[in-house]
């Protein structure tokens, strides 16, 4: 299980490991580690996995499947629809929802020979930064199970770190791939908005949501991204890009590249060990010939308030569909139609989801729409402009992924505002539609992983991937001790 | 707290959001929304005069297509998810007496 997805794919292709063996190993790992970590909401039945593995094996043997991910087991965040397989969004309101179709990103993986092994836990409807708002219990950080894995894609990132799958898909609305990747010591990419189809992704903040890969290294992430991206007419915000090649950027060469470090990201609230890690990464790039400079990125403090207005507004509209009529939970109370809607939603949604739906309903209501919603959209335009200016001078921005390493379980939810502030370095990337990635860069004195973030301009993932790859070459991947102990 | 959320406002938001809150939840919601709005009011420091609200980062336009059905009739499977169904339709509680 310590192999990367691409390494395993090579061994499968060479006939050294069968698809069934790979799937069985993942299932064994899950049966050993799940009671500690709780990464999954649903694990696919063994018989179904084996049947799928056999089918993929045959296609590999027949030369139909030749891609790098053929036969490799994958875990999917539970907000992506999977036909015939329970999809809950970690919410009670979807406790029994079995989609009749599969999300486009997952279809693309399956076409490339992926074996879906299970659906990973998350914050309810992706609202949260710790995976503690899940209706199915919190996921624990496999590096230290007294700590959170981050969120909202906490299940996906913890599953990769704990080696309960070889790679996973997550989704990122305000940092939901990058922050948990950082807390779990794995690599995660949030691509440029519109690069991966959102068809079949249960929407939270539609103008911000993007699906992306979580894996052990940059090579895996670039390979997975290349597989899942592409124009899709079923997603009206899908962008027709000139190219979808990301793996050609896996080059250990950053000479002359201009790397900017935003001074304003190093202010109050940043943990000193995280700060040193980012500066060490900057030094490593400099030693490889990159030009590293500090610069002023303004408006950092306005990203979080703007985000919560926009994301909550979109959530209040997107989550209106959960009303107990067509699918999911319905209240048991014998009441009329209108009461049924209200009780179903009140019983089905958790506190954080209700909080955001209410805030969203308020900022969109007449009399407040201009003052809050339009104001936030104007702020977003200004933030985008700040990044445009930055990318006139720099190829890539280097920053922390989160102000601290993973907090302890139970410390975050009592003060939502404080939890929201943890997304300060990731959120503006979503507002500006930019691609961002995090990769592990050492550990703090408690042994918890630290992540650094790389951001590039829209459609310029390759610069960020190349920088990440070069950084990664300077250090070994550090396995999570819990996973290593199971060998 | 600069933003005091009244009972009326919480009632109104409850109606918009289609949520039924207990008294305790209402009190908590008043507090939470008040402190969030205090925080969001930070945006008022910014001069956004003349700035166009940006709903999408890229110039996206309406996407039109011919009105041709491409997905098949999946009624049976779709209805399997319905809390209640009757004769191939979704069942809802009584709407009026």
């Amino acid at each position: 299980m310590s192999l990367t997805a691409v390494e395993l794919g090579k061994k499968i292709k060479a006939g050294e490991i069968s698809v069934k063996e790979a799937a069985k190993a993942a299932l064994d790992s899950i049966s050993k580690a799940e009671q500690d970590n709780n990464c999954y909401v649903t694990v696919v039945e063994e018989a179904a996995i084996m049947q799928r593995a056999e089918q993929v094996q045959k296609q590999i043997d027949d030369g139909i499947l030749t891609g790098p991910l053929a036969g490799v087991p994958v875990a999917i965040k539970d907000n992506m629809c999977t036909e015939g397989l329970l999809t809950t969004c970690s919410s009670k309101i979807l406790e029994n929802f079995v989609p009749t179709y599969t999300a486009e990103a997952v279809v693309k993986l399956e076409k490339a020979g992926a074996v879906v092994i299970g659906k990973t836990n998350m914050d309810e409807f992706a609202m949260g930064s710790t995976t503690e708002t899940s209706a199915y219990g919190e996921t624990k950080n496999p590096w230290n199970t007294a700590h959170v894995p981050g969120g909202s894609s906490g299940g996906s990132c913890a599953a990769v770190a704990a080696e309960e799958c070889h790679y996973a898909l997550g989704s990122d609305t305000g940092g939901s791939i990058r922050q948990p990747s950082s807390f779990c010591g794995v690599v995660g990419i949030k691509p440029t908005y519109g690069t991966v189809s959102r068809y079949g992704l249960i929407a939270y903040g539609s103008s911000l949501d993007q699906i992306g890969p979580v894996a052990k290294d940059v090579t895996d992430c670039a390979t997975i991204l290349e597989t899942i991206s592409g124009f899709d007419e079923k997603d009206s915000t899908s962008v027709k890009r000139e190219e979808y090649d990301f793996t050609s950027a896996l080059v250990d060469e950053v000479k002359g590249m201009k790397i900017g470090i935003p001074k304003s990201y190093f202010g109050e609230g940043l943990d000193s060990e995280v700060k040193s890690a980012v500066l060490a990464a900057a030094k490593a790039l400099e030693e490889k010939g990159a030009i590293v400079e500090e610069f002023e990125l303004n408006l950092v403090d306005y990203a979080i308030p703007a985000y919560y207005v926009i994301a909550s507004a979109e959530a209040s509209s997107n989550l209106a569909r959960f009303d107990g009529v067509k699918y999911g939970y319905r209240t048991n109370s014998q009441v009329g139609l209108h009461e049924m809607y209200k009780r179903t939603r009140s019983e089905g949604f958790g506190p954080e989801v209700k909080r955001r739906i209410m805030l969203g309903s308020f900022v969109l209501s007449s009399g407040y729409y201009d003052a809050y919603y339009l104001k936030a959209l104007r702020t977003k335009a200004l933030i985008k402009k700040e990044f445009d200016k930055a990318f006139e001078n720099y190829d890539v921005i280097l920053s922390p992924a989160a102000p601290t390493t993973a907090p302890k379980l139970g410390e975050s939810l009592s003060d939502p505002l404080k939890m929201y502030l943890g997304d300060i370095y990731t959120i503006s990337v979503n507002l500006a539609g930019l691609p961002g990635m995090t990769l592990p860069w050492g550990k703090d004195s408690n042994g918890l992983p630290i992540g650094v973030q790389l951001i590039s301009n829209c459609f310029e993932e390759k610069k960020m991937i190349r920088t990440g790859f070069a950084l990664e070459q300077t250090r070994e991947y550090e396995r999570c001790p819990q996973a290593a102990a199971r060998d | 707290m600069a933003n005091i959320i009244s009972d009326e406002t919480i009632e109104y938001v409850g109606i918009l959001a289609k949520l039924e809150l207990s008294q305790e939840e209402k009190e908590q919601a008043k507090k939470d929304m008040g402190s969030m709005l205090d925080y969001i009011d930070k945006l008022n420091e910014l001069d956004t005069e003349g700035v166009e609200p940006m709903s999408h980062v890229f110039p996206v336009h309406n996407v039109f297509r011919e009105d041709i059905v491409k997905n098949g009739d999946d009624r049976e499977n779709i209805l399997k998810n319905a809390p209640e169904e009757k004769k191939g339709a979704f069942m809802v509680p009584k709407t009026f007496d």
Side-chain angles (χ1 to χ4, degrees):
Chain A
M1 289 304 297
S2 65
L3 297 175
T4 68
V6 169
E7 283 166 357
L8 177 62
K10 274 187 192 149
K11 285 193 187 283
I12 289 173
K13 200 186 268 181
E16 291 169 40
I17 298 176
S18 74
V19 180
K20 269 188 170 180
E21 281 165 354
K24 188 78 182 59
L27 284 174
D28 283 350
S29 176
I30 289 172
S31 72
K32 284 181 195 148
E34 263 307 84
Q35 60 190 51
D36 293 332
N37 303 329
N38 192 35
C39 300
Y40 289 87
V41 176
T42 306
V43 177
V44 181
E45 278 176 42
E46 181 161 354
I49 292 178
M50 288 307 150
Q51 200 185 349
R52 166 72 181 152
E54 213 163 289
Q55 178 193 23
V56 172
Q57 184 72 60
K58 188 168 182 314
Q59 289 180 320
I60 293 172
D61 295 344
D62 292 350
I64 299 166
L65 282 174
T66 55
L69 298 173
V72 182
V74 60
I76 308 291
K77 187 176 181 179
D78 211 20
N79 60 352
M80 287 170 232
C81 287
T82 40
E83 188 181 341
L85 182 60
L86 191 67
T87 299
T88 69
C89 255
S90 286
S91 179
K92 183 181 171 185
I93 212 160
L94 286 177
E95 64 184 6
N96 52 7
F97 174 56
V98 181
T100 58
Y101 67 102
T102 300
E104 183 67 11
V106 181
V107 168
K108 280 177 170 277
L109 281 185
E110 287 184 327
K111 277 188 189 153
V115 177
V116 173
I117 207 136
K119 303 295 290 290
T120 55
N121 200 14
M122 52 187 278
D123 280 295
E124 185 181 0
F125 283 101
M127 297 177 193
S129 312
T130 64
T131 314
E132 291 173 297
T133 70
S134 166
Y136 305 104
E138 69 243 4
T139 296
K140 286 155 186 124
N141 191 318
W143 286 80
N144 180 339
T145 51
H147 290 253
V148 303
S152 67
S153 310
S156 289
C157 298
V160 171
E163 300 177 8
E164 291 188 46
C165 63
H166 283 276
Y167 71 103
L169 291 189
S171 69
D172 192 315
T173 307
S176 281
I177 287 175
R178 289 159 291 150
Q179 181 256 32
S181 292
S182 148
F183 285 0
C184 291
V186 295
V187 183
I189 294 183
K190 178 242 165 235
T192 305
Y193 186 79
T195 298
V196 178
S197 170
R198 292 186 298 109
Y199 179 76
L201 170 71
I202 299 172
Y204 159 26
S206 321
S207 76
L208 309 162
D209 298 338
Q210 265 294 282
I211 293 171
V214 180
K216 291 193 192 85
D217 70 4
V218 180
T219 302
D220 272 10
C221 276
T223 308
I224 300 157
L225 182 57
E226 205 162 285
T227 310
I228 61 175
S229 58
F231 175 72
D232 180 14
E233 62 173 20
K234 297 189 294 306
D235 170 2
S236 60
T237 57
S238 181
V239 175
K240 255 186 200 147
R241 292 176 59 137
E242 280 170 24
E243 59 161 21
Y244 292 94
D245 156 48
F246 302 107
T247 49
S248 70
L250 298 167
V251 197
D252 185 10
E253 171 66 74
V254 288
K255 215 172 170 158
M257 271 182 92
K258 294 196 74 181
I259 315 285
I261 301 181
K263 268 192 222 165
S264 43
Y265 279 20
F266 287 80
E268 204 189 328
L270 179 64
D271 179 89
S272 63
E273 290 184 275
V274 176
K275 183 180 172 179
S276 320
V278 179
L279 295 177
K283 192 148 187 282
L285 287 172
E286 229 166 20
E287 279 164 9
K288 282 180 172 270
I291 302 153
V292 182
E293 281 173 14
E294 290 189 341
F295 74 101
E296 294 289 349
L297 183 73
N298 298 316
L299 306 181
V300 172
D301 292 340
Y302 301 97
I304 295 178
Y307 171 86
Y308 278 95
V309 172
I310 295 167
S312 300
E314 291 180 8
S316 72
S317 164
N318 278 324
L319 272 61
R321 69 186 59 144
F322 303 103
D323 58 4
V325 173
K326 299 177 290 305
Y327 37 69
Y329 174 82
R330 178 188 286 186
T331 182
N332 290 321
S333 320
Q334 296 298 317
V335 286
L337 180 65
H338 191 72
E339 276 303 303
M340 185 280 282
Y341 291 149
K342 281 170 80 169
R343 292 214 188 155
T344 293
R345 291 165 61 78
S346 304
E347 294 165 18
F349 291 135
E352 183 63 30
V353 173
K354 287 185 198 169
R355 192 153 38 223
R356 295 195 198 186
I357 292 177
M358 290 183 67
L359 180 66
S361 304
F362 179 78
V363 298
L364 289 177
S365 65
S366 92
Y368 298 100
Y369 182 85
D370 285 14
Y372 289 108
Y373 186 62
L374 290 184
K375 182 81 186 179
L377 292 182
R378 290 192 168 96
T379 307
K380 174 180 166 170
L382 294 176
I383 289 171
K384 169 84 176 135
K385 237 189 211 160
E386 276 297 310
F387 278 105
D388 287 346
K389 268 199 310 203
F391 289 118
E392 279 170 20
N393 297 317
Y394 302 102
D395 295 308
V396 172
I397 293 173
L398 169 69
S399 86
T404 63
T405 53
K408 282 203 173 113
L409 289 160
E411 280 182 352
S412 307
L413 296 187
S414 57
D415 187 353
L417 202 53
K418 194 176 151 209
M419 177 173 82
Y420 300 165
L421 286 170
D423 296 330
I424 187 154
Y425 307 125
T426 47
I427 255 175
S428 48
V429 169
N430 299 75
L431 288 174
L434 304 167
M437 69 189 285
T438 55
L439 64 156
W441 199 263
K443 292 177 298 185
D444 71 2
S445 43
N446 296 317
L448 290 165
I450 299 174
V452 296
Q453 178 176 227
L454 300 168
I455 306 164
S456 54
N457 205 353
C458 291
F459 311 115
E460 293 190 347
E461 277 89 349
K462 279 165 106 171
K463 287 184 178 171
M464 160 185 108
I465 288 169
R466 187 161 136 193
T467 311
F469 185 78
L471 266 179
E472 195 178 64
Q473 301 314 302
T474 65
R475 56 192 304 132
E476 285 279 303
Y477 173 71
E478 220 170 316
R479 286 178 77 192
C480 161
Q482 186 209 72
R486 281 201 308 273
D487 281 354
Chain B
M1 208 185 288
N3 286 283
I4 307 291
I5 308 295
S6 66
D7 289 330
E8 292 74 39
T9 305
I10 282 295
E11 278 302 323
Y12 180 56
V13 170
I15 292 168
L16 291 175
K18 287 240 185 316
L19 289 170
E20 187 179 68
L21 302 182
S22 66
Q23 201 48 46
E24 200 184 322
E25 281 180 308
K26 274 183 199 159
E27 288 309 313
Q28 188 61 42
K30 274 158 67 179
K31 246 171 55 191
D32 288 346
M33 199 181 292
S35 62
M36 267 315 275
L37 293 178
D38 285 352
Y39 180 55
I40 289 166
D41 281 341
K42 191 174 172 55
L43 296 179
N44 294 331
E45 296 168 11
L46 279 180
D47 180 9
T48 52
E49 191 68 41
V51 180
E52 274 295 303
M54 181 188 256
S55 33
H56 272 281
V57 207
F58 309 123
V60 287
H61 308 286
N62 269 341
V63 181
F64 295 102
R65 62 168 171 79
E66 293 305 315
D67 190 14
I68 301 164
V69 178
K70 285 187 183 168
N71 48 349
D73 174 11
D74 208 7
R75 176 152 67 174
E76 207 176 307
N77 280 325
I78 289 168
L79 282 170
K80 272 189 199 157
N81 273 308
E84 218 181 321
E85 59 123 351
K86 193 177 174 182
K87 293 180 186 165
F90 296 111
M91 272 284 280
V92 294
K94 219 172 182 180
T95 315
F96 53 84
D97 285 310

